[in-house]
Amino acid sequence: QVQLVESGGGLVQPGGSLRLSCAASGSIRRINYMGWYRQAPGKQRELVAAITSGGTTNYADSVKGRFTISRDNAKNTVYLQMNSLKPEDTAVYYCNADVTYTAWGTHGNYWGQGTQVTVSS
């Protein structure tokens, strides 16, 4: 009933910037939470940044001051602006959302397909 579509990944040099986007579609009544996770080969998936319906944000310590999460409620879209990128930021980035999809409050958790970000000279 709900799908998340990601875009914006690619290859960038250290110190460069990228902006990721994630658009939710389907039977959406309310998006309670949207966030970005990342996973590098051989490593555990980790939270990068998250934003609630009320606008509260959280960031991993490793990206504070460099990454910014934002949302466009009218478009059901969340963005991740990534500046001052480092090689250790290389990973597959996944969009995650908790969505209410019925009038009586049924909700579920959904994942996007992932987009590759590679930071290399």
Side-chain angles (χ1 to χ4, degrees):
Q1 291 185 330
V2 178
Q3 294 180 328
L4 305 178
V5 179
E6 298 158 300
S7 62
L11 175 64
V12 65
Q13 293 183 333
S17 298
L18 286 173
R19 190 174 82 149
L20 307 182
S21 64
C22 174
S25 62
S27 301
I28 300 170
R29 292 188 63 84
R30 180 180 180 87
I31 299 178
N32 306 302
Y33 155 96
M34 296 188 81
W36 290 95
Y37 289 73
R38 66 185 181 188
Q39 188 168 26
K43 296 183 179 180
Q44 187 172 328
R45 186 175 298 186
E46 64 174 347
L47 175 68
V48 178
I51 187 167
T52 70
S53 61
T56 301
T57 59
N58 285 289
Y59 297 93
D61 288 341
S62 60
V63 307
K64 286 181 179 178
R66 300 189 298 120
F67 292 10
T68 302
I69 189 169
S70 62
R71 64 183 181 179
D72 186 333
N73 292 333
K75 297 181 179 179
N76 290 324
T77 299
V78 65
Y79 305 93
L80 185 67
Q81 179 66 47
M82 305 185 294
N83 299 326
S84 301
L85 283 162
K86 305 175 180 179
E88 51 263 44
D89 295 318
T90 297
V92 177
Y93 284 69
Y94 297 91
C95 181
N96 176 241
D98 188 89
V99 179
T100 298
Y101 58 88
T102 71
W104 51 93
T106 308
H107 67 100
N109 189 260
Y110 300 90
W111 290 91
Q113 78 285 355
T115 185
Q116 177 70 46
V117 172
T118 302
V119 184
S120 176
S121 60

